[in-house]
Amino acid sequence: MKRILFLLVVISFTSCSSLKYSATKNPDNYKNIKAGNKYTFHQSDGSKTPITINSISKDSIIGTKRNERISIAKNNITEIRKDKTAVAVVATAGGIAAATVIVVGIKNATDDIQNVATAFGTGLN
């Protein structure tokens, strides 16, 4: 049971974001980036900046971070990821709940079989 829970937690943390843009895989292809959505921008200097995009211009992406207007040059962006933490948390909680129901169901079924066996005297105790 502990291994299953550990596996579900690891899977949820590795699936918290999805790659929307990569400078090495598809340079100058920003078709998956939409205004109004929040993305995390990985820049060539190693910094990560979460921004809600307002507009995409020819050479930069303009957005806001905590009500502050930010513009990032497209040539400084190495990667853009969309955060999916809420989806990962819900999926993990659902997986844990399902695992718990299965374990409790198996335990109850085993107890019921033992009680029936005792009642009929089959000697399965």
Tab-separated table of all heavy atoms in Angstrom, residues 65-114:
chain	number	residue	atom	x	y	z
A	65	LYS	N	2.531	39.787	-14.036
A	65	LYS	CA	2.902	38.968	-12.892
A	65	LYS	C	2.645	39.820	-11.659
A	65	LYS	O	3.278	40.863	-11.478
A	65	LYS	CB	4.374	38.564	-12.966
A	65	LYS	CG	4.844	37.772	-11.777
A	65	LYS	CD	6.320	37.450	-11.887
A	65	LYS	CE	6.787	36.723	-10.647
A	65	LYS	NZ	8.232	36.472	-10.680
A	66	ARG	N	1.662	39.415	-10.860
A	66	ARG	CA	1.262	40.177	-9.663
A	66	ARG	C	0.969	41.644	-10.005
A	66	ARG	O	1.514	42.564	-9.407
A	66	ARG	CB	2.338	40.097	-8.588
A	66	ARG	CG	2.568	38.728	-8.061
A	66	ARG	CD	3.531	38.738	-6.896
A	66	ARG	NE	4.060	37.427	-6.679
A	66	ARG	CZ	5.337	37.125	-6.552
A	66	ARG	NH1	6.245	38.075	-6.620
A	66	ARG	NH2	5.721	35.899	-6.365
A	67	ASN	N	0.154	41.838	-11.004
A	67	ASN	CA	-0.272	43.162	-11.480
A	67	ASN	C	0.875	44.019	-12.002
A	67	ASN	O	0.750	45.230	-12.111
A	67	ASN	CB	-1.028	43.914	-10.376
A	67	ASN	CG	-2.312	43.214	-10.009
A	67	ASN	OD1	-2.952	42.592	-10.855
A	67	ASN	ND2	-2.690	43.291	-8.745
A	68	GLU	N	2.003	43.413	-12.315
A	68	GLU	CA	3.137	44.127	-12.886
A	68	GLU	C	3.299	43.688	-14.341
A	68	GLU	O	3.332	42.499	-14.639
A	68	GLU	CB	4.407	43.786	-12.098
A	68	GLU	CG	5.655	44.426	-12.627
A	68	GLU	CD	6.878	43.955	-11.845
A	68	GLU	OE1	6.749	43.552	-10.687
A	68	GLU	OE2	7.966	43.989	-12.426
A	69	ARG	N	3.393	44.654	-15.243
A	69	ARG	CA	3.520	44.341	-16.673
A	69	ARG	C	4.951	43.888	-16.965
A	69	ARG	O	5.922	44.538	-16.579
A	69	ARG	CB	3.185	45.577	-17.495
A	69	ARG	CG	3.223	45.339	-18.970
A	69	ARG	CD	2.906	46.629	-19.699
A	69	ARG	NE	3.510	46.648	-21.005
A	69	ARG	CZ	2.836	46.507	-22.119
A	69	ARG	NH1	1.533	46.378	-22.090
A	69	ARG	NH2	3.454	46.526	-23.275
A	70	ILE	N	5.058	42.753	-17.682
A	70	ILE	CA	6.364	42.174	-18.008
A	70	ILE	C	6.399	41.851	-19.496
A	70	ILE	O	5.427	41.352	-20.060
A	70	ILE	CB	6.619	40.890	-17.193
A	70	ILE	CG1	6.704	41.232	-15.713
A	70	ILE	CG2	7.871	40.173	-17.652
A	70	ILE	CD1	6.840	40.035	-14.815
A	71	SER	N	7.540	42.126	-20.112
A	71	SER	CA	7.757	41.787	-21.514
A	71	SER	C	9.013	40.924	-21.601
A	71	SER	O	10.058	41.279	-21.067
A	71	SER	CB	7.937	43.059	-22.338
A	71	SER	OG	8.211	42.730	-23.675
A	72	ILE	N	8.880	39.782	-22.276
A	72	ILE	CA	10.021	38.874	-22.431
A	72	ILE	C	10.309	38.733	-23.920
A	72	ILE	O	9.412	38.411	-24.709
A	72	ILE	CB	9.719	37.491	-21.821
A	72	ILE	CG1	9.464	37.624	-20.327
A	72	ILE	CG2	10.865	36.528	-22.083
A	72	ILE	CD1	9.090	36.318	-19.656
A	73	ALA	N	11.564	38.970	-24.289
A	73	ALA	CA	11.970	38.829	-25.692
A	73	ALA	C	11.916	37.354	-26.088
A	73	ALA	O	12.354	36.482	-25.339
A	73	ALA	CB	13.372	39.381	-25.890
A	74	LYS	N	11.364	37.071	-27.262
A	74	LYS	CA	11.225	35.686	-27.718
A	74	LYS	C	12.575	34.983	-27.850
A	74	LYS	O	12.675	33.795	-27.601
A	74	LYS	CB	10.484	35.633	-29.054
A	74	LYS	CG	9.005	35.892	-28.919
A	74	LYS	CD	8.328	35.760	-30.266
A	74	LYS	CE	6.839	35.958	-30.165
A	74	LYS	NZ	6.175	35.868	-31.478
A	75	ASN	N	13.618	35.735	-28.230
A	75	ASN	CA	14.922	35.095	-28.402
A	75	ASN	C	15.586	34.729	-27.071
A	75	ASN	O	16.588	34.028	-27.062
A	75	ASN	CB	15.860	35.944	-29.267
A	75	ASN	CG	16.105	37.313	-28.665
A	75	ASN	OD1	15.585	37.644	-27.610
A	75	ASN	ND2	16.880	38.114	-29.369
A	76	ASN	N	15.034	35.185	-25.922
A	76	ASN	CA	15.550	34.806	-24.608
A	76	ASN	C	14.815	33.612	-24.008
A	76	ASN	O	15.186	33.124	-22.949
A	76	ASN	CB	15.448	35.980	-23.623
A	76	ASN	CG	16.421	37.083	-23.954
A	76	ASN	OD1	17.426	36.857	-24.617
A	76	ASN	ND2	16.115	38.284	-23.513
A	77	ILE	N	13.762	33.146	-24.662
A	77	ILE	CA	12.938	32.057	-24.125
A	77	ILE	C	13.479	30.719	-24.617
A	77	ILE	O	13.657	30.507	-25.809
A	77	ILE	CB	11.466	32.224	-24.568
A	77	ILE	CG1	10.894	33.529	-24.044
A	77	ILE	CG2	10.635	31.040	-24.089
A	77	ILE	CD1	9.538	33.880	-24.611
A	78	THR	N	13.751	29.817	-23.668
A	78	THR	CA	14.199	28.475	-24.044
A	78	THR	C	13.053	27.475	-23.978
A	78	THR	O	13.040	26.492	-24.707
A	78	THR	CB	15.328	27.989	-23.122
A	78	THR	OG1	14.880	28.001	-21.775
A	78	THR	CG2	16.558	28.858	-23.273
A	79	GLU	N	12.086	27.756	-23.093
A	79	GLU	CA	10.994	26.805	-22.886
A	79	GLU	C	9.805	27.520	-22.252
A	79	GLU	O	9.981	28.426	-21.448
A	79	GLU	CB	11.507	25.714	-21.948
A	79	GLU	CG	10.773	24.429	-21.943
A	79	GLU	CD	11.500	23.398	-21.103
A	79	GLU	OE1	11.323	23.401	-19.879
A	79	GLU	OE2	12.240	22.595	-21.678
A	80	ILE	N	8.604	27.088	-22.608
A	80	ILE	CA	7.390	27.607	-21.979
A	80	ILE	C	6.581	26.401	-21.530
A	80	ILE	O	6.321	25.491	-22.301
A	80	ILE	CB	6.555	28.466	-22.948
A	80	ILE	CG1	7.362	29.652	-23.449
A	80	ILE	CG2	5.276	28.948	-22.252
A	80	ILE	CD1	6.667	30.460	-24.535
A	81	ARG	N	6.191	26.401	-20.252
A	81	ARG	CA	5.418	25.290	-19.687
A	81	ARG	C	4.121	25.810	-19.084
A	81	ARG	O	4.082	26.892	-18.531
A	81	ARG	CB	6.209	24.559	-18.609
A	81	ARG	CG	7.417	23.835	-19.158
A	81	ARG	CD	8.020	22.916	-18.127
A	81	ARG	NE	8.978	22.027	-18.729
A	81	ARG	CZ	8.694	20.821	-19.196
A	81	ARG	NH1	7.478	20.360	-19.117
A	81	ARG	NH2	9.625	20.063	-19.733
A	82	LYS	N	3.067	25.009	-19.197
A	82	LYS	CA	1.774	25.327	-18.590
A	82	LYS	C	1.643	24.517	-17.324
A	82	LYS	O	1.794	23.300	-17.333
A	82	LYS	CB	0.625	25.012	-19.539
A	82	LYS	CG	-0.729	25.369	-18.947
A	82	LYS	CD	-1.698	25.723	-20.036
A	82	LYS	CE	-3.067	26.032	-19.520
A	82	LYS	NZ	-3.166	27.240	-18.762
A	83	ASP	N	1.335	25.189	-16.225
A	83	ASP	CA	1.205	24.552	-14.923
A	83	ASP	C	-0.097	23.777	-14.840
A	83	ASP	O	-1.151	24.291	-15.192
A	83	ASP	CB	1.243	25.622	-13.830
A	83	ASP	CG	1.275	25.040	-12.446
A	83	ASP	OD1	1.746	23.901	-12.291
A	83	ASP	OD2	0.817	25.727	-11.510
A	84	LYS	N	-0.014	22.529	-14.382
A	84	LYS	CA	-1.199	21.692	-14.216
A	84	LYS	C	-1.210	21.071	-12.814
A	84	LYS	O	-1.568	19.913	-12.646
A	84	LYS	CB	-1.221	20.591	-15.261
A	84	LYS	CG	-1.420	21.088	-16.674
A	84	LYS	CD	-1.559	19.936	-17.620
A	84	LYS	CE	-1.891	20.440	-19.006
A	84	LYS	NZ	-2.125	19.335	-19.921
A	85	THR	N	-0.836	21.844	-11.819
A	85	THR	CA	-0.766	21.330	-10.459
A	85	THR	C	-2.130	20.884	-9.963
A	85	THR	O	-2.250	19.834	-9.329
A	85	THR	CB	-0.184	22.400	-9.519
A	85	THR	OG1	1.085	22.801	-10.017
A	85	THR	CG2	-0.028	21.865	-8.122
A	86	ALA	N	-3.170	21.634	-10.236
A	86	ALA	CA	-4.512	21.279	-9.754
A	86	ALA	C	-4.955	19.942	-10.319
A	86	ALA	O	-5.511	19.105	-9.599
A	86	ALA	CB	-5.503	22.373	-10.120
A	87	VAL	N	-4.693	19.701	-11.592
A	87	VAL	CA	-5.059	18.429	-12.207
A	87	VAL	C	-4.287	17.285	-11.562
A	87	VAL	O	-4.843	16.215	-11.282
A	87	VAL	CB	-4.790	18.474	-13.733
A	87	VAL	CG1	-4.988	17.123	-14.362
A	87	VAL	CG2	-5.679	19.515	-14.392
A	88	ALA	N	-3.003	17.501	-11.312
A	88	ALA	CA	-2.175	16.464	-10.696
A	88	ALA	C	-2.638	16.155	-9.278
A	88	ALA	O	-2.673	14.994	-8.867
A	88	ALA	CB	-0.714	16.893	-10.694
A	89	VAL	N	-3.024	17.179	-8.522
A	89	VAL	CA	-3.500	16.965	-7.147
A	89	VAL	C	-4.804	16.175	-7.152
A	89	VAL	O	-4.973	15.231	-6.375
A	89	VAL	CB	-3.676	18.318	-6.416
A	89	VAL	CG1	-4.428	18.153	-5.106
A	89	VAL	CG2	-2.325	18.953	-6.166
A	90	VAL	N	-5.720	16.525	-8.036
A	90	VAL	CA	-6.997	15.800	-8.121
A	90	VAL	C	-6.765	14.351	-8.555
A	90	VAL	O	-7.356	13.424	-7.992
A	90	VAL	CB	-7.964	16.516	-9.098
A	90	VAL	CG1	-9.169	15.667	-9.406
A	90	VAL	CG2	-8.395	17.859	-8.520
A	91	ALA	N	-5.881	14.138	-9.522
A	91	ALA	CA	-5.588	12.780	-9.982
A	91	ALA	C	-4.952	11.947	-8.871
A	91	ALA	O	-5.292	10.772	-8.682
A	91	ALA	CB	-4.682	12.825	-11.201
A	92	THR	N	-4.040	12.542	-8.128
A	92	THR	CA	-3.404	11.823	-7.020
A	92	THR	C	-4.418	11.481	-5.946
A	92	THR	O	-4.435	10.349	-5.434
A	92	THR	CB	-2.263	12.666	-6.422
A	92	THR	OG1	-1.317	12.940	-7.453
A	92	THR	CG2	-1.577	11.931	-5.292
A	93	ALA	N	-5.261	12.429	-5.589
A	93	ALA	CA	-6.286	12.175	-4.567
A	93	ALA	C	-7.234	11.069	-5.025
A	93	ALA	O	-7.602	10.183	-4.241
A	93	ALA	CB	-7.062	13.457	-4.272
A	94	GLY	N	-7.612	11.087	-6.291
A	94	GLY	CA	-8.476	10.036	-6.826
A	94	GLY	C	-7.798	8.681	-6.800
A	94	GLY	O	-8.419	7.666	-6.469
A	95	GLY	N	-6.521	8.636	-7.137
A	95	GLY	CA	-5.768	7.385	-7.100
A	95	GLY	C	-5.644	6.833	-5.695
A	95	GLY	O	-5.791	5.632	-5.461
A	96	ILE	N	-5.379	7.707	-4.736
A	96	ILE	CA	-5.280	7.282	-3.335
A	96	ILE	C	-6.629	6.778	-2.847
A	96	ILE	O	-6.720	5.749	-2.168
A	96	ILE	CB	-4.750	8.433	-2.450
A	96	ILE	CG1	-3.272	8.698	-2.787
A	96	ILE	CG2	-4.921	8.121	-0.981
A	96	ILE	CD1	-2.713	9.945	-2.151
A	97	ALA	N	-7.697	7.476	-3.197
A	97	ALA	CA	-9.043	7.038	-2.787
A	97	ALA	C	-9.374	5.682	-3.400
A	97	ALA	O	-9.908	4.801	-2.720
A	97	ALA	CB	-10.078	8.083	-3.202
A	98	ALA	N	-9.058	5.486	-4.674
A	98	ALA	CA	-9.337	4.209	-5.336
A	98	ALA	C	-8.542	3.078	-4.695
A	98	ALA	O	-9.077	1.992	-4.453
A	98	ALA	CB	-9.008	4.309	-6.821
A	99	ALA	N	-7.262	3.329	-4.409
A	99	ALA	CA	-6.436	2.305	-3.765
A	99	ALA	C	-6.979	1.950	-2.386
A	99	ALA	O	-7.019	0.776	-2.005
A	99	ALA	CB	-4.989	2.792	-3.658
A	100	THR	N	-7.431	2.942	-1.642
A	100	THR	CA	-7.995	2.697	-0.312
A	100	THR	C	-9.270	1.872	-0.402
A	100	THR	O	-9.460	0.923	0.364
A	100	THR	CB	-8.283	4.039	0.396
A	100	THR	OG1	-7.070	4.786	0.459
A	100	THR	CG2	-8.820	3.829	1.788
A	101	VAL	N	-10.143	2.214	-1.339
A	101	VAL	CA	-11.394	1.462	-1.510
A	101	VAL	C	-11.101	0.015	-1.878
A	101	VAL	O	-11.732	-0.918	-1.355
A	101	VAL	CB	-12.290	2.144	-2.577
A	101	VAL	CG1	-13.424	1.241	-3.008
A	101	VAL	CG2	-12.825	3.464	-2.042
A	102	ILE	N	-10.142	-0.210	-2.756
A	102	ILE	CA	-9.803	-1.570	-3.171
A	102	ILE	C	-9.253	-2.372	-1.993
A	102	ILE	O	-9.667	-3.507	-1.754
A	102	ILE	CB	-8.797	-1.547	-4.345
A	102	ILE	CG1	-9.498	-1.042	-5.603
A	102	ILE	CG2	-8.175	-2.914	-4.577
A	102	ILE	CD1	-8.564	-0.741	-6.746
A	103	VAL	N	-8.349	-1.793	-1.228
A	103	VAL	CA	-7.757	-2.498	-0.084
A	103	VAL	C	-8.820	-2.816	0.958
A	103	VAL	O	-8.900	-3.940	1.470
A	103	VAL	CB	-6.604	-1.679	0.531
A	103	VAL	CG1	-6.176	-2.245	1.868
A	103	VAL	CG2	-5.434	-1.634	-0.431
A	104	VAL	N	-9.671	-1.841	1.282
A	104	VAL	CA	-10.730	-2.069	2.269
A	104	VAL	C	-11.722	-3.111	1.744
A	104	VAL	O	-12.170	-3.993	2.487
A	104	VAL	CB	-11.440	-0.741	2.619
A	104	VAL	CG1	-12.701	-0.981	3.429
A	104	VAL	CG2	-10.488	0.169	3.376
A	105	GLY	N	-12.056	-3.046	0.471
A	105	GLY	CA	-12.978	-4.023	-0.121
A	105	GLY	C	-12.421	-5.432	-0.067
A	105	GLY	O	-13.138	-6.385	0.270
A	106	ILE	N	-11.147	-5.599	-0.367
A	106	ILE	CA	-10.526	-6.927	-0.309
A	106	ILE	C	-10.504	-7.444	1.121
A	106	ILE	O	-10.794	-8.614	1.378
A	106	ILE	CB	-9.109	-6.883	-0.916
A	106	ILE	CG1	-9.204	-6.694	-2.421
A	106	ILE	CG2	-8.328	-8.152	-0.577
A	106	ILE	CD1	-7.875	-6.445	-3.102
A	107	LYS	N	-10.187	-6.560	2.066
A	107	LYS	CA	-10.151	-6.979	3.474
A	107	LYS	C	-11.540	-7.399	3.943
A	107	LYS	O	-11.701	-8.444	4.588
A	107	LYS	CB	-9.628	-5.864	4.371
A	107	LYS	CG	-9.517	-6.289	5.827
A	107	LYS	CD	-9.079	-5.165	6.706
A	107	LYS	CE	-8.992	-5.545	8.157
A	107	LYS	NZ	-9.887	-6.511	8.682
A	108	ASN	N	-12.555	-6.639	3.607
A	108	ASN	CA	-13.929	-6.977	4.015
A	108	ASN	C	-14.390	-8.278	3.355
A	108	ASN	O	-15.056	-9.098	3.982
A	108	ASN	CB	-14.892	-5.846	3.681
A	108	ASN	CG	-14.702	-4.652	4.595
A	108	ASN	OD1	-14.106	-4.763	5.658
A	108	ASN	ND2	-15.188	-3.501	4.168
A	109	ALA	N	-14.045	-8.479	2.098
A	109	ALA	CA	-14.424	-9.708	1.405
A	109	ALA	C	-13.749	-10.912	2.045
A	109	ALA	O	-14.369	-11.967	2.223
A	109	ALA	CB	-14.054	-9.613	-0.072
A	110	THR	N	-12.497	-10.768	2.422
A	110	THR	CA	-11.777	-11.853	3.088
A	110	THR	C	-12.427	-12.187	4.429
A	110	THR	O	-12.613	-13.357	4.768
A	110	THR	CB	-10.298	-11.459	3.292
A	110	THR	OG1	-9.733	-11.115	2.036
A	110	THR	CG2	-9.512	-12.603	3.901
A	111	ASP	N	-12.790	-11.160	5.191
A	111	ASP	CA	-13.458	-11.377	6.479
A	111	ASP	C	-14.802	-12.075	6.275
A	111	ASP	O	-15.161	-12.983	7.030
A	111	ASP	CB	-13.675	-10.052	7.216
A	111	ASP	CG	-12.360	-9.441	7.708
A	111	ASP	OD1	-11.342	-10.169	7.746
A	111	ASP	OD2	-12.367	-8.233	8.033
A	112	ASP	N	-15.557	-11.684	5.261
A	112	ASP	CA	-16.859	-12.303	4.975
A	112	ASP	C	-16.697	-13.777	4.610
A	112	ASP	O	-17.471	-14.630	5.044
A	112	ASP	CB	-17.577	-11.563	3.848
A	112	ASP	CG	-18.060	-10.177	4.270
A	112	ASP	OD1	-18.102	-9.906	5.494
A	112	ASP	OD2	-18.388	-9.371	3.376
A	113	ILE	N	-15.680	-14.085	3.813
A	113	ILE	CA	-15.441	-15.483	3.432
A	113	ILE	C	-15.101	-16.315	4.661
A	113	ILE	O	-15.579	-17.443	4.814
A	113	ILE	CB	-14.331	-15.571	2.361
A	113	ILE	CG1	-14.839	-14.992	1.042
A	113	ILE	CG2	-13.843	-16.998	2.167
A	113	ILE	CD1	-13.783	-14.824	-0.009
A	114	GLN	N	-14.301	-15.756	5.553
A	114	GLN	CA	-13.952	-16.487	6.776
A	114	GLN	C	-15.181	-16.704	7.650
A	114	GLN	O	-15.354	-17.769	8.232
A	114	GLN	CB	-12.875	-15.736	7.557
A	114	GLN	CG	-11.508	-15.854	6.938
A	114	GLN	CD	-10.450	-15.071	7.712
A	114	GLN	OE1	-10.776	-14.256	8.560
A	114	GLN	NE2	-9.190	-15.335	7.392
